[in-house]
Amino acid sequence: MPYYRSVGEVPRKRHTQFRQPDGSLYAEELMGQEGFSSDSSLLYHRAMPTAIVAAEAFDPPAWSRTPNRPLKPRHLRTHKLDTAGADPVLGRAHLLANDDVRISYVTAERPSPLYRNAVGDECLYVEAGALRVESTFGVLDATAGDYVIIPTSVIHRLVPVGEEPLRLLAIEATGHIGPPKRYLSVRGQFLEHAPYCERDIRGPAGVLVEDGTDVEVLVQHRRGWTKHVYANHPFDVVGWDGHLYPWAFSIHDFEPITGRVHQPPPVHQTFQGPNFVICSFVPRKVDYHPLSIPVPYNHHNVDSDELLFYTGGNYEARRGSGIEQGSMSLHPSGFTHGPQPGAAERSIGIDYFDELAVMVDTFRPLDLCDAALTCEDTGYAWTWSGRQA
C-alpha cells in the first residue's frame, strides 16, 4: 500500500505483550504479501484467528470459459444480465477471463456471505448504488465511481446500502493489484507526476467488532472453494497497523493527463496487476494543437486485449455503434480497432470530452464466459463496415 495507517488499539512495540481487560493476551496476526518481504499489517484479535471447527468443500455457481473464436470485437450489454436480487460475491456473472484475471458484473440487493479470496486481490468498481465493505480491518464505505481494492485473503462481507441496487464491476486477479510502479518513489510515496496521491485514498476509519460463534466463511483458493466454520467471529480485531488493508479511490479524483495531440492509453493507467492494467477515462480537456484530431487513431496493440466498460457521459469515438451505459467493448489482439466511421471528422474542434470509462488491458487473451454470450450485441463487429455478417 502507498502509506502506513494505524487504527484502534495497538501496543507500542510489535510482537510484544498486549493484554485484554481480563489479563489474557490479544492474538497477534501478521498478514503479509510475498512471504515476509513486502507490505504487511499486524492485527490484534480477541480470539485465536486460527480456530476453525469445521471445513468442507463448497461448490460455487458453475461457469465456464471458451476462446474468442472466431476472433472478433465484442460488445456486451451488462444491464441485460439477470442478476437482480443476487449478492455481490456469489451472484457475479462472469464475463471474461484468462489465467491472470477474471472480470464479472453483478446487480446486488442483499449482503454477501463472509468471504475470503485466497487467489488474489480484487478491484471492485461501483457503477451505481452504494457499498459498505465490512472486514477484519473495519468498515469502508464506497459510492458510485469508487474503486475498492481488497487485498488477498482479507475476510470481508459486501453489503449494498440504500434503496438503489448496487451495480458492481469485479476484477479478480491471480496476484496483487496496486498503483503503477512508475507513480511511486523507491519508498512507496506517490511522485509529483502521478495522477492521484495519498490524499485521495481512503481506508477503514475504525475497527469493527462483532460477537458470534460457529461463523461460516467462504474461501476461494487455488484449488477451488472451501467453507470454513470459525469458532469465533473473525470480526474481533481491536486494532491494527501497517501498509496492507482494503482501500478506496474515486475515479472522480483521477487527474487526467492531457496534451496538444492525442495521448496514448498509458496516461490513463490507474492500477497494475499481474499481466494486466486498469485505466480510468474521465471528463477532461482534450487535444489543443490547432490541427489536432481529439478521438483516438486506429490502433492495434499487438500484445494485449482491450476491454472498456462504459460507465458515464458520452463516448465520442463509439457514437453509432450501440454503446450505452453499462456496455463493455472487447477489442482483441489480432484486430485493429479505432473510432467509428465519421467520428474523427466530427471530433475536430471539440475541446472537452465528457466521458467516464474503466479499461482493462490484458497481456494474455481473454476468453468468453457463459454470461458474456447471453448479453452480447452480435452486430457490433460489423459497425465499422456498415454491413451485416
Side-chain angles (χ1 to χ4, degrees):
M1 260 303 300
Y3 65 101
Y4 170 86
R5 293 176 65 91
S6 180
V7 173
E9 301 176 67
V10 298
R12 193 185 71 81
K13 289 283 286 184
R14 61 184 177 180
H15 315 322
T16 59
Q17 297 178 35
F18 182 33
R19 296 192 178 276
Q20 304 191 45
D22 65 2
S24 61
L25 287 170
Y26 285 109
E28 183 183 49
E29 175 193 12
L30 175 72
M31 176 170 282
Q33 297 176 339
E34 299 176 18
F36 293 85
S37 59
S38 189
D39 293 345
S40 66
S41 286
L42 285 166
L43 302 93
Y44 294 89
H45 294 261
R46 297 190 301 183
M48 297 297 292
T50 50
I52 60 173
V53 297
E56 62 183 60
F58 177 81
D59 294 322
W63 67 285
S64 63
R65 57 189 244 208
T66 185
N68 182 6
R69 293 180 59 196
L71 182 74
K72 63 177 182 176
R74 308 273 180 165
H75 171 205
L76 311 180
R77 289 176 162 151
T78 62
H79 288 191
K80 302 291 185 182
L81 292 166
D82 183 15
T83 61
D87 78 65
V89 171
L90 295 179
R92 295 175 187 177
H94 305 315
L95 297 171
L96 299 143
N98 61 24
D99 290 343
D100 303 311
V101 65
R102 182 171 67 188
I103 299 160
S104 310
Y105 186 85
V106 64
T107 303
E109 299 178 9
R110 57 188 177 89
S112 75
L114 290 175
Y115 167 64
R116 164 182 269 170
N117 185 338
V119 177
D121 294 356
E122 294 191 357
C123 174
L124 309 177
Y125 178 80
V126 181
E127 181 196 357
L131 171 68
R132 187 172 70 243
V133 181
E134 301 174 348
S135 76
T136 47
F137 290 86
V139 175
L140 180 61
D141 292 315
T143 56
D146 278 340
Y147 293 103
V148 179
I149 306 296
I150 302 178
T152 308
S153 282
V154 171
I155 297 177
H156 63 281
R157 175 170 54 212
L158 302 179
V159 182
V161 178
E163 298 181 0
E164 183 180 7
L166 173 68
R167 292 187 172 273
L168 200 66
L169 176 71
I171 303 168
E172 302 173 39
T174 56
H176 303 308
I177 299 172
K181 290 181 180 178
R182 70 178 184 277
Y183 294 168
L184 304 175
S185 74
V186 294
R187 295 176 180 83
Q189 182 181 7
F190 279 96
L191 298 170
E192 282 294 298
H193 67 269
Y196 61 101
C197 72
E198 289 85 354
R199 297 183 188 183
D200 300 315
I201 290 172
R202 312 190 311 274
V207 297
L208 173 63
V209 178
E210 293 190 13
D211 294 317
T213 57
D214 297 338
V215 178
E216 296 182 354
V217 176
L218 298 183
V219 183
Q220 181 181 188
H221 50 92
R222 291 177 177 86
R223 291 293 181 266
W225 287 63
T226 294
K227 179 166 65 178
H228 285 157
V229 180
Y230 280 77
N232 299 282
H233 203 296
F235 292 172
D236 67 342
V237 174
V238 298
W240 61 269
D241 75 332
H243 291 253
L244 184 69
Y245 48 86
W247 54 283
F249 166 71
S250 173
I251 196 172
H252 303 298
D253 287 329
F254 185 89
E255 299 302 330
I257 299 169
T258 60
R260 290 205 337 138
V261 295
H262 190 81
Q263 299 297 294
V267 302
H268 306 288
Q269 188 178 354
T270 311
F271 309 110
Q272 67 179 34
N275 290 318
F276 71 90
V277 299
I278 301 172
C279 300
S280 302
F281 290 81
V282 301
R284 64 194 182 279
K285 181 178 178 62
V286 290
D287 322 340
Y288 41 90
H289 186 283
L291 297 178
S292 68
I293 301 175
V295 297
Y297 35 79
N298 296 305
H299 55 288
H300 181 193
N301 299 334
V302 297
D303 293 324
S304 60
D305 282 12
E306 177 188 288
L307 176 73
L308 208 58
F309 176 66
Y310 303 85
T311 183
N314 300 302
Y315 212 80
E316 287 294 328
R318 295 271 80 85
R319 191 194 303 181
S321 65
I323 295 294
E324 59 193 4
Q325 175 74 25
S327 285
M328 284 184 182
S329 64
L330 172 64
H331 297 149
S333 172
F335 171 76
T336 301
H337 62 279
Q340 300 301 129
E345 193 70 47
R346 287 195 306 267
S347 73
I348 294 174
I350 293 176
D351 62 2
Y352 185 81
F353 279 175
D354 180 21
E355 63 188 23
L356 200 64
V358 175
M359 186 171 79
V360 182
D361 270 11
T362 67
F363 292 102
R364 285 200 251 196
L366 284 166
D367 291 336
L368 301 168
C369 302
D370 305 329
L373 301 176
T374 69
C375 67
E376 183 183 7
D377 168 14
T378 56
Y380 177 69
W382 330 121
T383 57
W384 286 270
S385 67
R387 301 180 186 179
Q388 293 297 315

